[in-house]
Amino acid sequence: MTACTRIVVCLLAAVCSLGTSLTASAQEHPAREPFVCAAGGRLTLGGKPYCFVGANAWYLPLLATDSVGDGIVRLRHELDVLHRMGIDNLRVLVGADGMPAARKVAPVMQTAPGGYDQRMLTALDRFLVEAGERGMKVVLYLTNAWAWSGGMTAYLRWVQQTGTEVMDTIVWRAWCEHASQFATSMEARQLYYNHVRAIVGRRNSLTGELYANDATIMAWQICNEPRAFSARTKEAFAQWIAESAALIKSLDSRHLVSTGSEGSMGCELDMQLYEQLHADPNVDYLTVHVWPMNWGWVQRGSIASRSQSGLRRQQLDAAIGATRTYVAEHEAVARRLHKPLVVEEFGYPRDGGLFDIGTTTTARDAYYSAVFSLLTESVAHGGPLAGCNFWGWSGAARPNHLWWQPYDPYLADPAQEEQGLYGVWDSDTTVGTVRRAVRRLQRILRSAGRERTVMAARHRR
């Protein structure tokens, strides 16, 4: 079915689960709930605008494995806490790929090409059930550009049978050169496509429902922060993104598809490439990520100095200004393409550049408030921003080590980052900042709903 047809069906039925839009296999068990749709430059759910303040929590499916003991207890606790906060949109990793390695997620889901740890697949099934019971929507990214979960470099290693996945001992430029080979390796790409078929075509072992019929899933995401990693591989990279989007749509025409792109920072600073990727009719909405410290907008040395509070404020203001400019550049693309935009990752360090749980989050809270304001301003004025997901939720877990080790609790900070750097603990004042943003967004949506009701009544008269 074409993209135009999908939009018409969504608008007429106000529900994205009509049997006529399904493949024969998907018609076995019709979906019970409406799907999130993209139409007219907006996200909708059940015929109403769908806008959200969400969270990144890549590790949540891992909590549902049998191997983590009380993991299922923590999973339910974290979902309940997030739900009470008003966070009902979650972005998570499907699973890790490749061999175990230092500073990498464990346990691994895809241990060899097409070879899966069934515990991890069942854990993903269980996570979707738990999230669905709470009315949550989930974005599932199918692989990763970064080695902390294997991802692209794991596929390369399987094909090349040389080197290591994480390559901790080599410099950044050499790693990028290595990672850039994924886009030009048809063998590595084919292994990824096989993985897409296995996951997108999966049937939940606990419910018997096809993933294609599970309205808990908001979107399939091609990759977390996909990059060409080289100017010379941009054409092959764009081809991979287009082929991946088309493949996912051929397997599952109901769910949205997104790239997982950071924006121009993930496209070799090429906005034309970014627009090309998202103009694809199989890509339903745009994504952008914002990382002021990782991208050099904020200097870590200044953040780490407690005595330079004035400089920290200056750095914070600069980060907020650069963020507004960066998001606005991508909003312009969204308007041209008439598609919604989601700021699906943004993070800011704890005060002092420290990692321990006693550290305050004054600067982070101010930065979060600024990003949330971008969303609420856009929603209030009919702009393209539909949601934002902060990075990330660490919740009740507390780290055992500065660097994650197997059997340590999972935090928002992945294995290659200091535990506590960007994660939000349930005791942080950031929780209050998030709650206030949720309430403000809800007020704006209620007000907009009342206005639409009044306008409809006037039209009928």
Side-chain angles (χ1 to χ4, degrees), residues 69-122:
D70 62 352
I72 190 65
V73 175
R74 184 187 165 202
L75 172 63
R76 289 167 177 161
H77 171 76
E78 301 294 6
L79 292 177
D80 287 341
V81 171
L82 288 166
H83 186 59
R84 288 195 295 270
M85 288 169 59
I87 300 296
D88 289 325
N89 187 285
L90 304 173
R91 182 170 174 265
V92 305
L93 171 71
V94 164
D97 319 283
M99 298 297 292
R103 297 189 182 179
K104 179 181 175 182
V105 173
V108 171
M109 172 182 279
Q110 189 179 191
T111 55
Y116 294 91
D117 184 333
Q118 293 302 314
R119 297 175 308 148
M120 306 307 298
L121 291 172
T122 303

Side-chain angles (χ1 to χ4, degrees), residues 234 237-238 261-280 286-289 295 297 324-337 341:
K234 288 193 293 185
F237 170 72
S261 174
E262 302 154 89
S264 65
M265 290 295 289
C267 292
E268 307 303 312
L269 302 179
D270 184 343
M271 283 297 287
Q272 288 186 332
L273 175 59
Y274 175 80
E275 185 160 348
Q276 175 188 343
L277 299 182
H278 294 88
D280 190 308
L286 287 69
T287 64
V288 66
H289 300 185
W295 295 350
W297 298 350
R324 285 186 171 274
T325 299
Y326 188 75
V327 172
E329 291 171 348
H330 295 80
E331 282 184 290
V333 177
R335 289 190 181 93
R336 283 197 296 274
L337 298 179
L341 171 68

